[in-house]
Amino acid sequence: MSGGKQDTQDGPEFEDRVRALLAGDAADIRPSPVPYPEIRRRGLRERRRRLGVTGMALAALAVLPVGAYALAGGGGGGGEAAVPARPEPSVRTSTRPAPSATVAGPARPAGEGQLRDGVTYEQAAAGLGRCIAYNKSHSVPDDPTYRDLGTAADYRIVLAMRATGDANSPGDGFSVVAVRAKPTPVRLICTDKDGAAQGLNTSIGDPFGDSLMAVVPDHNAGKLYQQSYLDKGHWKLPYRWGLIGACHPSVGRVTVSYGGSTREAALDHGWFVATGTLVRQVTDAPRVRGYDHAGKLVYDSDQDPSYEKTLP
């Protein structure tokens, strides 16, 4: 029997069966055909999607405001990418006014007692400025006697006091006396009434002139200590008076007697300044005396032949 099984397994029928089985397995593992139409459809959909995204980006770029982008390079070379322009920093404009420049004023008097009757330094300085401007505005072209008085900053105020109006110059105000040392010595007496300069009087040059005396009363000081000749015997009282003059450094003290009282003058950088109040009519001019630092009398206006001792 064993001989018969061996013949069956090795016979032609067995080989045919094996071949049939192998052929069936090969058919079962054969790959499916490539789905080309489906791949093509997917490719078209992807392409349309990318085109849609690109179109939306271009549309967004088109609606941005002008100036939001700046082209780098700006020339015709091409290939330059658009880059965002950096916004300019905001500039804040200040509305606060610039500080005004400080205007230099005249020097103050040596003593506060030289500012009388409530006239302040600021008022006196403003009046001095108006007086100098008045001199310039009323000058005559090509007038050989005209002298430029400079600016208020060139001067020292030595006296400011109430001015009493009279028949020749009605209306009250205040008088200011100022002196300048350089470039040319100047003594200025001016009356300010209602913010306007009036009665300007100046003396230019060495206040001592040819005098060899230690004290020289100003020859035009009568404008400060007497009223108009038209009012002679009928002065408005009480009356504020003043007197000024030059004195050498050797002089240590000056007194002025007027209307029955004697006043100690202030010494201010080579000038003496005295002031007081008259309560009665007078006919005699102020009497001036000067003393050296040892107290010795070195000047007496009663002994000065050039000094007017009585009022006109």
Side-chain angles (χ1 to χ4, degrees), residues 11 19 38 90 105 172 179 184 204 228 233 240:
R19 289 190 180 96
E38 180 63 23
S90 59
D172 298 338
V179 295
T184 303
I204 299 177
S228 169
R240 168 67 69 184

Side-chain angles (χ1 to χ4, degrees), residues 18 26 38 49 73 81 105 112 146 159 166-167 211 231 245 288 302:
V18 172
E38 180 63 23
R49 187 185 67 81
E112 292 299 324
Y146 170 75
L159 177 63
D166 54 33
S211 177
D231 297 306
V288 182
D302 279 356

Side-chain angles (χ1 to χ4, degrees), residues 226-249:
Q226 65 187 16
Q227 296 185 36
S228 169
Y229 179 79
L230 300 175
D231 297 306
K232 185 176 181 178
H234 303 282
W235 284 11
K236 294 180 180 180
L237 300 171
Y239 173 67
R240 168 67 69 184
W241 63 268
L243 179 61
I244 61 172
C247 58
H248 281 295

Side-chain angles (χ1 to χ4, degrees), residues 51-243:
L51 289 175
V53 172
T54 303
M56 287 187 293
L58 292 174
L61 179 61
V63 299
L64 287 177
V66 176
Y69 286 85
L71 291 179
E80 296 290 344
V83 295
R86 179 174 297 179
E88 293 293 335
S90 59
V91 179
R92 187 182 299 273
T93 303
S94 175
T95 58
R96 181 180 299 175
S100 57
T102 304
V103 179
R108 290 178 175 270
E112 292 299 324
Q114 293 164 238
L115 299 175
R116 310 295 298 180
D117 308 313
V119 181
T120 66
Y121 164 78
E122 290 75 17
Q123 291 172 324
L128 173 60
R130 288 190 286 268
C131 291
I132 294 175
Y134 175 89
N135 176 72
K136 183 174 295 185
S137 64
H138 287 72
S139 63
V140 178
D142 301 326
D143 182 359
T145 64
Y146 170 75
R147 294 293 183 273
D148 184 5
L149 299 180
T151 66
D154 300 328
Y155 290 79
R156 173 182 299 278
I157 294 175
V158 295
L159 177 63
M161 65 181 194
R162 180 182 71 251
T164 301
D166 54 33
N168 187 54
S169 179
D172 298 338
F174 67 89
S175 295
V176 58
V177 183
V179 295
R180 185 185 78 179
K182 296 178 181 180
T184 303
V186 175
R187 189 274 299 132
L188 181 151
I189 301 174
C190 183
T191 302
D192 189 287
K193 295 182 179 181
D194 298 324
Q198 300 180 20
L200 177 64
N201 176 270
T202 59
S203 176
I204 299 177
D206 186 352
F208 289 96
D210 297 332
S211 177
L212 299 177
M213 296 182 181
V215 177
V216 178
D218 192 287
H219 291 294
N220 287 299
K223 298 181 178 299
L224 297 171
Y225 62 75
Q226 65 187 16
Q227 296 185 36
S228 169
Y229 179 79
L230 300 175
D231 297 306
K232 185 176 181 178
H234 303 282
W235 284 11
K236 294 180 180 180
L237 300 171
Y239 173 67
R240 168 67 69 184
W241 63 268
L243 179 61

